[in-house]
Amino acid sequence: MITFEDVDKVYASGEMKVHALKGVSLHIHEREFVSIMGPSGSGKSTLMNVIGCLDKPSSGIYTLDGINVGTASSKQLSQVRNQKIGFVFQNFNLLKRTSAIENVELPMLYGGRAKKERLEKAQYCLERVGLKDRMYHKPNELSGGQQQRVAIARALSNDPAIILADEPTGNLDSASSEEIMNIFRTLNDNGNTIVVVTHETDIAAYTQRIICFRDGRIETDRFNMERGVI
Ligand code: ADP
Ligand code: ADP
């Protein structure tokens, strides 16, 4: 599903060049549940941006479901993103003055879907994350964990095969973090491929495979024996 062959990513900021990914080769299969760990600056966010087709490799080949992302047009890439990928962020990135259900509807609105379909689908997605009774609350009327659940429901609204989450529990207490990881686990059991960036070993412990980055390279890539192989 996700294949990296010797991928490099170089950022040029003025005279300076930052080599954020160096010769990364990686295969993530459909329905895997993977965590990406590593110190700050090791390339985790860059990797997620490339996987999510927000950014292209500088060299090497990234194929997503048979599509060569490096040579695809920006129109193709935005299509791929909308159809295949759901993003979840550390800061939830919800619209503040807008109810939970409207936040979840948003990607479908951009996708040009009809109002009735959007409402039904948004309700269903909020139900999947256990928030049906908070549909009309605004973000500031919800706890951090609940806001992240709204963000997950929004990510689910376009039926993505892949969910990419960059530090999804970074701003949450441990009880809410556990809740969020259990939701990801259920989504994974139901067929989603999930990639989570985290600094915390307790969070990585929920996943099946733990990939550690250092200085833009994969340092270790192992199955999480404690959780058990699928
Ligand atoms: P993280 O919390 O994952 O370590 P960072 O704070 O390093 O994230 O980066 C946040 C965002 O800023 C990322 O999307 C990254 O692409 C961008 N960024 C990081 N470093 C730089 C930089 N030196 N110049 C410009 N943008 C950067
Ligand atoms: P991590 O997520 O592991 O903290 P990042 O992928 O954010 O690491 O960053 C890897 C390296 O690339 C860092 O040195 C960072 O400063 C740099 N970087 C990230 N994004 C940019 C950017 N947009 N422009 C310039 N440098 C960047």
Side-chain angles (χ1 to χ4, degrees):
M1 161 164 262
I2 292 168
T3 306
F4 275 56
E5 292 169 64
D6 204 18
V7 167
D8 275 40
K9 180 69 197 179
V10 182
Y11 293 109
S13 30
E15 300 280 287
M16 285 277 293
K17 279 212 164 86
V18 181
H19 215 137
L21 295 177
K22 300 172 188 164
V24 174
S25 294
L26 172 67
H27 194 90
I28 296 175
H29 298 268
E30 210 177 321
R31 305 189 71 148
E32 272 197 282
F33 188 10
V34 181
S35 51
I36 309 290
M37 300 194 77
S40 195
S42 59
K44 305 179 299 294
S45 296
T46 303
L47 177 85
M48 296 294 267
N49 288 346
V50 175
I51 294 178
C53 303
L54 295 163
D55 217 342
K56 287 183 179 186
S58 306
S59 65
I61 300 170
Y62 167 34
T63 348
L64 171 60
D65 275 346
I67 299 159
N68 184 335
V69 171
T71 56
S73 67
S74 29
K75 194 175 163 195
Q76 272 176 310
L77 289 188
S78 72
Q79 240 171 21
V80 167
R81 265 199 308 275
N82 295 335
Q83 287 169 3
K84 294 187 191 292
I85 299 171
F87 294 93
V88 176
F89 306 94
Q90 178 169 357
N91 296 320
F92 325 131
N93 287 4
L94 300 173
L95 295 183
K96 291 197 171 29
R97 292 169 211 281
T98 308
S99 66
I101 190 159
E102 286 168 320
N103 268 285
V104 177
E105 272 185 70
L106 218 58
M108 296 185 279
L109 185 67
Y110 295 141
R113 296 215 249 155
K115 181 77 184 167
K116 183 165 179 283
E117 192 193 343
R118 291 201 310 264
L119 272 176
E120 284 172 5
K121 190 58 183 276
Q123 280 185 21
Y124 170 69
C125 292
L126 284 165
E127 207 175 313
R128 288 186 77 184
V129 298
L131 267 191
K132 210 178 170 200
D133 58 341
R134 296 281 193 284
M135 277 198 299
Y136 300 106
H137 287 59
K138 296 198 170 115
N140 67 3
E141 299 161 347
L142 298 168
S143 71
Q146 289 170 336
Q147 290 183 54
Q148 193 58 298
R149 286 196 269 157
V150 175
I152 295 171
R154 179 185 56 190
L156 291 173
S157 65
N158 281 339
D159 297 316
I162 304 169
I163 294 172
L164 300 179
D166 200 341
E167 298 274 3
T169 62
N171 286 335
L172 302 179
D173 59 39
S174 22
S176 307
S177 299
E178 205 172 297
E179 228 170 67
I180 295 300
M181 291 313 289
N182 279 321
I183 289 172
F184 283 142
R185 187 178 271 182
T186 305
L187 294 174
N188 176 248
D189 287 340
N190 287 312
N192 279 118
T193 305
I194 303 184
V195 185
V196 178
V197 169
T198 182
H199 281 103
E200 295 166 75
T201 43
D202 290 2
I203 295 299
Y206 281 84
T207 69
Q208 295 157 347
R209 177 182 173 189
I210 304 175
I211 303 175
C212 290
F213 271 76
R214 182 172 291 275
D215 300 330
R217 293 191 170 89
I218 294 176
E219 186 178 49
T220 58
D221 181 349
R222 59 182 179 84
F223 280 107
N224 180 10
M225 295 314 236
E226 278 148 50
R227 183 175 189 251
V229 183
I230 7 159

